[in-house]
Amino acid sequence: MEVMKPLIDEEDSDGISDEEHENTLLPVKTHYQLDNEEGITFIQTLTHLLKGNIGTGLLGLPLAIKNAGIVVGPISLVFIGFISVHCMHILVRCSHCLCQRMKKSSLGYSDTVSCAMEVGPLTALQKRASWGRYIVDFFLVITQLGFCGVYVVFLAENVKQVHEGFLESKIAPMNISATSSSSEKRNTDLRIYMLCFLPFLVLLVFIRDLKSLSLLSLLANLSMAVSLVIIYQYIVRDLADPRKLPPVVGWKKYPLFFGTAVFAFEGIGVVLPLENRMKDATRFPLALNIGMGIVMALYISLATLGYLRFGDEVKGSITLNLPQDKWLYQSVKILYSFGIFVTYSIQFYVPAEILIPVVTSRVRQKWKLLSELVVRALLVCSTCAVAVLIPRLDLVISFVGAVSSSTLGLILPPLVEILTFYKENLSLWTIFKDVFIAVVGFVGFLTGTYVTVEEIIYPASTALANATGSFPADLNATDLVVGLK
């Protein structure tokens, strides 16, 4: 993580020249420089925006469309996409304004919220401005660890399919009776695969410097890009007639769509760091519009085509719908899993940076490294525990999206705008717009959390309905759940 290096000594403001005082009111981009770096270019910023938003959430969107309907789903996805991008712009604009007011070189998400509370109209918020930083840090930790939990389920699901497909191809020449007996042995519980990944994930996060993963990260991006191309060429064939699919699904399923959709737009946490690192920060809004435009086009097309291709059979990740008897589509699962495995360490970096200093500051110097490694291992175990307890990819995605992604992406930015610009005679339209977005996020938070928790606690009410007695006796418990095998 780059350290911002102020060009102006903010602590010693007494005795500065008039020229220096004028510089403190210049745009944010003139206030800082990066240690040993000149900043990132427009293309690099665009690339990082794409990397920050394209992940497992993309592959879960076809199931989200199923939970909303073939007509309502895509329209709602466009609506949520525009709101999410608008909130990113709000965050950047508020950060700029607060940097000038507070004479700061740069502000992250948590500091922006804290400063907005500090300059806001309410005395109660001003006295508790530090709470803003804690709230954002809390939801950032929940979000990032939630992403990691989703990755564990994704890895286990896809590797399980590849492994079982490989075993099926090996026993194909054998007689039917031998095949039947082998089938019982190879049906391994999904949780076993999760536990097998645990030691490798622990070793991965022991790499504390992300620069050491730069080559792996590049390979991961390439593998995920190739996988998406192969997925697209498969799903565009044999599309179903849209008239045969429900245009609207009952309101009870819509909160699941909302959680997954908000989860997919997971990049708001990288917006301010990228803007702060950009050489020409004035071009960041353009980079944001182009990058998120590409992301939205990718989301809407894959979500809609994926649902049209697989219909009600669509699963928590569209890779799970690919054929198991063809090496090309099995390689997609391997390539994308490799990309997600490497991305795990990148998503893990944020909660590690927030939580580890809290622990290491309380121990002696000689124990700091050991304590840091222990905390990293425990955090990885916690993500694996969540995956083991909730081995449903769709529900984990929806829960993380409803709880934390909606808070960071939809609720906080409009409230920050009101607190930041309340002295500038905000128009009624701006106030109405911000309140509307915050209410949408809050309602999605409540309903999405409630419906997802209900599905987790009482899966039999939906996933197992009308399914009793129709499964083999040796089928795993996790296999009984709609959306996963």
Side-chain angles (χ1 to χ4, degrees):
M1 181 175 288
E2 289 76 9
V3 179
M4 297 303 176
K5 185 176 181 181
L7 298 179
I8 299 173
D9 189 355
E10 298 172 2
E11 297 181 357
D12 186 13
S13 59
D14 295 330
I16 62 175
S17 66
D18 292 339
E19 182 180 357
E20 291 174 323
H21 180 70
E22 290 177 1
N23 287 339
T24 62
L25 300 179
L26 291 175
V28 180
K29 63 185 177 64
T30 65
H31 283 193
Y32 63 85
Q33 63 185 12
L34 297 171
D35 285 347
N36 302 322
E37 287 197 26
E38 298 179 354
I40 58 177
T41 64
F42 182 88
I43 298 299
Q44 289 174 323
T45 303
L46 194 60
T47 303
H48 287 304
L49 279 171
L50 295 176
K51 288 166 57 180
N53 284 275
I54 298 175
T56 54
L58 167 64
L59 302 180
L61 285 175
L63 181 60
I65 298 296
K66 174 187 173 183
N67 290 326
I70 192 61
V71 174
V72 174
I75 295 175
S76 299
L77 196 57
V78 172
F79 175 72
I80 293 175
F82 274 113
I83 290 181
S84 298
V85 176
H86 179 67
C87 287
M88 294 178 185
H89 282 288
I90 288 177
L91 200 58
V92 172
R93 194 161 68 95
C94 292
S95 176
H96 277 200
C97 179
L98 291 170
C99 277
Q100 293 182 4
R101 287 191 197 177
M102 310 299 289
K103 298 181 181 180
K104 299 286 187 180
S105 60
S106 63
L107 291 174
Y109 195 164
S110 58
D111 290 327
T112 298
V113 175
S114 179
C115 290
M117 293 175 65
E118 188 176 341
V119 302
L122 301 178
T123 305
L125 291 179
Q126 294 173 0
K127 293 180 179 179
R128 297 168 176 82
S130 61
W131 288 17
R133 182 179 296 105
Y134 299 142
I135 290 172
V136 174
D137 285 345
F138 171 77
F139 281 107
L140 279 175
V141 169
I142 296 298
T143 300
Q144 300 303 122
L145 291 181
F147 290 162
C148 292
V150 169
Y151 292 169
V152 174
V153 181
F154 179 88
L155 290 170
E157 284 288 344
N158 284 271
V159 171
K160 181 176 187 289
Q161 272 204 357
V162 172
H163 180 227
E164 292 181 351
F166 173 77
L167 290 180
E168 287 178 1
S169 65
K170 295 290 288 184
I171 64 174
M174 301 175 64
N175 58 50
I176 297 177
S177 61
T179 302
S180 177
S181 61
S182 299
S183 177
E184 297 180 1
K185 295 180 181 179
R186 68 170 181 273
N187 192 9
T188 308
D189 194 291
L190 181 66
R191 298 173 179 86
I192 301 299
Y193 290 89
M194 297 179 186
L195 295 177
C196 289
F197 273 107
L198 180 59
F200 298 101
L201 292 172
V202 170
L203 292 176
L204 181 67
V205 302
F206 280 175
I207 303 175
R208 297 180 294 162
D209 184 8
L210 289 183
K211 292 180 180 179
S212 304
L213 293 171
S214 58
L215 178 59
L216 284 178
S217 180
L218 176 61
L219 294 176
N221 294 333
L222 292 175
S223 65
M224 293 169 73
V226 172
S227 299
L228 288 176
V229 171
I230 298 174
I231 291 173
Y232 265 102
Q233 68 85 25
Y234 180 77
I235 63 176
V236 294
R237 299 179 295 177
D238 301 326
L239 294 177
D241 185 351
R243 292 173 296 182
K244 295 182 180 180
L245 299 173
V248 181
V249 179
W251 65 270
K252 290 185 178 180
K253 286 289 186 180
Y254 191 83
L256 295 175
F257 162 84
F258 178 87
T260 305
V262 176
F263 177 93
F265 291 96
E266 59 193 52
I268 194 166
V270 305
V271 169
L272 288 181
L274 289 178
E275 196 270 346
N276 289 334
R277 292 180 57 193
M278 199 171 178
K279 285 181 180 179
D280 184 4
T282 59
R283 300 186 67 194
F284 182 78
L286 177 61
L288 183 59
N289 288 334
I290 294 175
M292 296 309 298
I294 295 173
V295 168
M296 287 180 61
L298 190 63
Y299 282 6
I300 296 167
S301 61
L302 185 66
T304 306
L305 293 174
Y307 183 42
L308 286 173
R309 175 66 176 82
F310 300 112
D312 290 338
E313 300 299 320
V314 68
K315 299 180 181 179
S317 170
I318 198 171
T319 56
L320 301 177
N321 287 102
L322 299 178
Q324 291 183 252
D325 57 349
K326 295 183 179 180
W327 69 267
L328 177 63
Y329 303 115
Q330 292 290 68
S331 67
V332 168
K333 301 169 189 176
I334 297 174
L335 289 173
Y336 215 95
S337 295
F338 170 73
I340 292 299
F341 178 78
V342 175
T343 307
Y344 183 101
S345 64
I346 299 173
Q347 300 287 9
F348 184 86
Y349 187 79
V350 174
E353 285 293 297
I354 294 174
L355 297 177
I356 288 175
V358 177
V359 176
T360 56
S361 63
R362 301 174 183 272
V363 299
R364 296 180 180 180
Q365 183 63 36
K366 64 178 182 179
W367 299 109
K368 285 186 181 296
L369 178 59
L370 178 61
S371 62
E372 177 179 345
L373 296 179
V374 170
V375 172
R376 287 176 178 271
L378 290 177
L379 289 176
V380 174
C381 290
S382 69
T383 63
C384 189
V386 170
V388 169
L389 292 174
I390 315 173
R392 284 187 60 179
L393 189 60
D394 56 332
L395 290 187
V396 180
I397 289 176
S398 183
F399 180 76
V400 174
V403 172
S404 52
S405 297
S406 62
T407 302
L408 296 175
L410 299 179
I411 299 176
L412 291 180
L415 298 181
V416 168
E417 183 176 37
I418 294 176
L419 293 176
T420 303
F421 298 106
Y422 81 98
K423 291 183 180 179
E424 301 182 12
N425 297 322
L426 287 173
S427 65
L428 289 177
W429 159 249
T430 301
I431 296 175
F432 172 79
K433 177 261 299 179
D434 287 340
V435 172
F436 173 75
I437 293 175
V439 169
V440 168
F442 186 69
V443 172
F445 171 90
L446 291 180
T447 57
T449 303
Y450 174 79
V451 172
T452 306
V453 171
E454 184 181 42
E455 291 261 352
I456 293 172
I457 298 177
Y458 305 109
S461 62
T462 55
L464 303 181
N466 303 321
T468 306
S470 61
F471 298 95
D474 63 333
L475 198 59
N476 293 330
T478 54
D479 290 335
L480 296 178
V481 183
V482 173
L484 291 178
K485 276 190 177 180

